[in-house]
């Protein structure tokens, strides 16, 4: 079976590396949209369970070229849908069209649905389908006239870990927060501190990494409802993940954060509890200007307010200056800051050692990594 682990711009490489660590076969990072891999239903489930930076896991049904609706219809109808979909399956269709002859998503949906119905009519001898059973979400993506037809094996996006019930202002997706942790150079035995932690997403994702917790451990995936999937094998994979987490739960954690907003800290505490990490992450209400840490150095990771989010560039510049002062107050600490503020480095007071570009929703941002004792790029 061929699969796609879809991922946001900039996260494709991390998703590909994680797939290789999981043992997926023939992993290929795509130019846009994620990484392709091969494996059975068990591997598709492992990807759903363990991928930290991917958005969805999709089972590839077919790929073909189509420049007319007739070619699209015939291509969809050729797929052996009856091998996976039972006669009572629900099969809604999502469509996306980019730089192709066929550029009407609504028409692509209608043609694809008709083609599937025609195929299943012949397979099951039915004229009408109740669609009351398991959900098989069909995605038809057309890019440069190449049609990719997939089944969504995830259901809700993989960023929905289940611990965050309130986003607060300008939320950071869990998948992006995990990417910031993984790119920071932080190791689980080091200290990690978020001086403007908001509702705590970065801190929770860091704890998941440190404790070897599968991000999807406590949530449900659409493929678990498919009759064609070996349910016992999937249950065993989830049990193995639970055992790994239980084994590592007793590890020492050195993860903490603060925020000037008491309401944000209260939400962060709630999310930490809902993630099963009560008492493992230290949180307090504190102005960033009052943060000063002694002892062994570690890594600061921050998603500070920036102009598009606050609608106040002057306040964003002030936060950048405060972060620069924070690193100078804490010798030996590296500091990583995620911001869309184009003047961030100027206000911070030095050039970043490394940078990575990501998107927070539709906002283009840069991840600045300031290493201790290094002057950064010229």
């Amino acid at each position: 079976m061929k699969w796609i682990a879809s991922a946001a711009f900039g996260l494709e490489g991390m998703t590909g590396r994680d797939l290789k660590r999981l043992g997926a076969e023939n992993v290929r990072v795509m130019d846009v949209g994620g990484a392709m891999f091969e494996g059975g239903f068990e591997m598709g489930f492992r990807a759903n369970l363990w991928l930290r930076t991917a958005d969805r896991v999709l089972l590839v049904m077919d790929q073909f070229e189509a420049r007319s609706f007739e070619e699209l219809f015939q291509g969809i109808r050729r797929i052996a849908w009856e091998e996976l979909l039972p006669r009572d399956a629900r099969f809604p269709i999502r469509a996306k069209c980019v730089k192709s002859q066929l550029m009407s998503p609504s028409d692509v949906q209608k043609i694809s649905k008709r083609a599937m119905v025609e195929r299943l009519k012949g397979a099951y001898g039915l004229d009408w389908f109740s669609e009351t059973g398991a959900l098989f979400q069909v995605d038809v993506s057309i890019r440069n006239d190449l049609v990719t037809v997939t089944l969504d094996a995830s259901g809700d996006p993989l960023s929905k870990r289940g611990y965050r019930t309130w986003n607060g202002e300008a939320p950071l997706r869990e998948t992006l927060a995990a990417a910031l942790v993984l790119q920071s150079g932080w190791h689980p035995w080091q200290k990690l501190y978020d001086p403007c932690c908001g509702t705590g997403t970065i801190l929770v994702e860091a704890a998941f990494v440190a404790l070897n917790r599968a991000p999807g451990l406590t949530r449900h995936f659409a493929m678990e409802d498919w009759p064609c999937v070996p349910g016992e094998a999937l249950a065993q994979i989830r049990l193995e993940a639970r055992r790994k987490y239980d084994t590592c739960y007793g590890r020492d954690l050195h993860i903490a954060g603060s925020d000037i907003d008491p309401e944000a800290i209260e939400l962060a505490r709630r999310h930490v509890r809902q993630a099963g990490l009560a008492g493992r992450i230290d949180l307090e209400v504190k102005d960033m200007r009052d943060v000063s840490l002694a002892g062994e150095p570690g890594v600061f990771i921050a998603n500070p307010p920036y102009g598009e989010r606050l609608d106040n560039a002057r306040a964003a510049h002030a936060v950048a200056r405060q972060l620069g002062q924070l690193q100078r107050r804490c010798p030996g600490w590296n500091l990583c800051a995620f911001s869309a503020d184009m003047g961030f480095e100027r206000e911070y007071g030095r050039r970043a050692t490394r940078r990575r570009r990501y998107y927070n929703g539709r906002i283009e941002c840069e991840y600045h990594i300031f290493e201790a004792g290094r002057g950064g790029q010229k």
Side-chain angles (χ1 to χ4, degrees):
M1 292 178 172
K2 292 184 178 180
W3 304 79
I4 294 174
S6 65
F9 173 80
L11 306 185
E12 301 94 341
M14 279 185 281
T15 297
R17 288 192 293 273
D18 283 347
L19 286 167
K20 291 177 182 178
R21 281 193 287 267
L22 289 175
E25 299 176 355
N26 298 323
V27 176
R28 179 172 64 85
V29 175
M30 301 160 61
D31 293 335
V32 178
M36 297 192 73
F37 64 102
E38 295 179 7
F41 283 123
E42 292 88 346
M43 181 51 64
F45 185 68
R46 288 184 191 276
N48 268 315
L49 197 63
W50 281 100
L51 291 181
R52 299 187 187 278
T53 59
D55 293 327
R56 294 181 183 276
V57 174
L58 309 169
L59 175 59
V60 179
M61 300 300 294
D62 200 5
Q63 288 184 304
F64 56 89
E65 290 189 352
R67 294 177 175 82
S68 68
F69 285 118
E70 179 61 24
E71 290 177 336
L72 176 65
F73 179 87
Q74 295 300 336
I76 298 289
R77 190 169 67 171
R78 279 196 302 268
I79 299 172
W81 295 103
E82 66 278 5
E83 293 182 0
L84 294 181
L85 275 65
R87 61 180 61 218
D88 65 343
R90 290 182 286 149
F91 50 101
I93 295 175
R94 295 186 295 231
K96 182 179 180 181
C97 308
V98 179
K99 298 179 181 178
S100 300
Q101 293 294 315
L102 305 178
M103 287 296 291
S104 171
S106 60
D107 288 333
V108 169
Q109 286 175 306
K110 293 173 185 176
I111 297 296
S112 299
K113 185 76 171 186
R114 185 158 60 87
M116 287 186 66
V117 169
E118 288 299 314
R119 173 78 188 204
L120 292 172
K121 276 184 178 180
Y124 289 122
L126 299 174
D127 291 326
W128 182 78
F129 295 90
S130 62
E131 297 197 46
T132 57
L135 174 64
F136 291 78
Q137 177 66 60
V138 181
D139 287 328
V140 180
S141 174
I142 308 178
R143 179 182 289 272
N144 297 323
D145 299 321
L146 178 65
V147 182
T148 302
V149 185
T150 59
L151 290 177
D152 185 349
S154 300
D156 289 334
L158 297 183
S159 59
K160 304 292 185 181
R161 318 287 209 216
Y163 64 82
R164 196 165 77 173
T165 55
W166 180 257
N167 292 328
E169 184 182 356
L172 186 70
R173 290 195 318 277
E174 292 90 328
T175 46
L176 182 52
L180 300 184
V181 171
L182 296 172
Q183 281 290 340
S184 69
W186 170 75
H187 298 286
W189 59 85
Q190 293 179 292
K191 295 179 181 178
L192 184 149
Y193 193 97
D194 184 347
C196 40
C197 68
T199 58
T201 307
I202 289 175
L203 301 175
V204 171
E205 293 298 321
F208 283 177
V209 172
L211 300 176
N212 199 23
R213 184 201 191 275
L217 184 61
T218 59
R219 58 156 286 179
H220 182 80
F221 302 103
M223 66 180 299
E224 294 180 84
D225 296 329
W226 297 353
C228 54
V229 170
E232 290 185 4
L234 269 55
Q236 184 61 36
I237 292 171
R238 190 184 289 275
L239 180 60
E240 291 172 2
R242 167 58 67 180
R243 287 172 176 164
K244 288 181 179 180
Y245 178 47
D246 290 343
T247 300
C248 298
Y249 187 80
R251 289 177 177 172
D252 290 337
L253 282 186
H254 310 284
I255 298 174
S258 58
D259 199 284
I260 197 171
D261 182 359
E263 292 185 4
I265 290 296
E266 181 56 37
L267 287 173
R269 289 183 176 128
R270 184 187 307 175
H271 293 163
V272 167
R273 287 196 303 271
Q274 291 171 169
L277 297 167
R280 305 304 311 275
I281 296 175
D282 295 326
L283 295 164
E284 63 179 328
V285 178
K286 181 177 284 190
D287 191 309
M288 190 191 310
R289 292 168 291 189
D290 297 328
V291 174
S292 183
L293 304 176
E296 286 294 319
V299 178
F300 292 110
I301 303 179
N303 173 37
Y306 37 85
E308 286 83 353
R309 193 166 66 171
L310 285 179
D311 193 27
N312 189 336
R314 185 176 300 175
H317 292 337
V319 172
R321 289 193 294 273
Q322 291 168 20
L323 285 169
Q325 294 163 7
L326 172 62
Q327 188 179 28
R328 290 189 286 274
R329 283 198 306 273
C330 301
W333 281 71
N334 292 348
L335 191 144
C336 308
F338 185 63
S339 178
D341 181 4
M342 292 300 101
F344 186 89
E345 289 176 310
R346 181 183 66 250
E347 301 298 332
Y348 189 91
R350 56 173 283 198
R351 303 287 297 273
T353 313
R354 289 180 286 130
R355 301 187 199 91
R356 294 296 299 268
R357 184 171 299 175
Y358 302 116
Y359 280 84
N360 186 11
R362 295 184 178 182
I363 303 175
E364 183 178 346
C365 302
E366 279 196 337
Y367 192 37
H368 305 84
I369 299 175
F370 301 92
E371 295 181 4
R374 298 188 62 178
Q377 302 173 356
K378 293 185 179 180

